[in-house]
Amino acid sequence: NPKVFSKVDSVLPRITDQFQMFLREMRIDDLSGSAGDYRIRRELLRRVNLSLYPDSIDAVLIEEFIVQ
């Protein structure tokens, strides 16, 4: 939906902040395996949808994930 897409741009700083706060608290054990990947995607999707409410998206695409 183009309306939701334009709204994502307007709340992107808030979404980025939410992602960073969540990911900063993760441990390496939390990231391991497909279950870890699933948990991260679900939590990131939840945080995006909270920022976009009452609109929502269906999925989060992670192109690259670097663990330091």
Side-chain angles (χ1 to χ4, degrees):
N1 183 347
K3 178 185 150 208
V4 176
F5 184 74
S6 65
K7 189 173 179 183
V8 168
D9 286 340
S10 68
V11 296
L12 194 56
R14 183 184 316 156
I15 292 170
T16 302
D17 186 53
Q18 290 289 320
F19 281 12
Q20 288 176 353
M21 286 186 343
F22 167 67
L23 293 171
R24 231 181 265 130
E25 299 298 322
M26 301 296 292
R27 297 176 308 225
I28 292 179
D29 294 340
D30 298 330
L31 306 172
S32 62
S34 60
D37 180 56
Y38 179 76
R39 276 193 307 261
I40 290 170
R41 286 179 192 274
R42 296 298 302 168
E43 184 60 29
L44 295 179
L45 180 62
R46 186 184 76 80
R47 290 171 184 257
V48 170
N49 284 330
L50 285 173
S51 296
L52 291 174
Y53 184 81
D55 296 314
S56 66
I57 62 169
D58 297 327
V60 173
L61 172 64
I62 300 173
E63 292 181 346
E64 184 176 13
F65 202 81
I66 299 171
V67 178
Q68 295 182 349

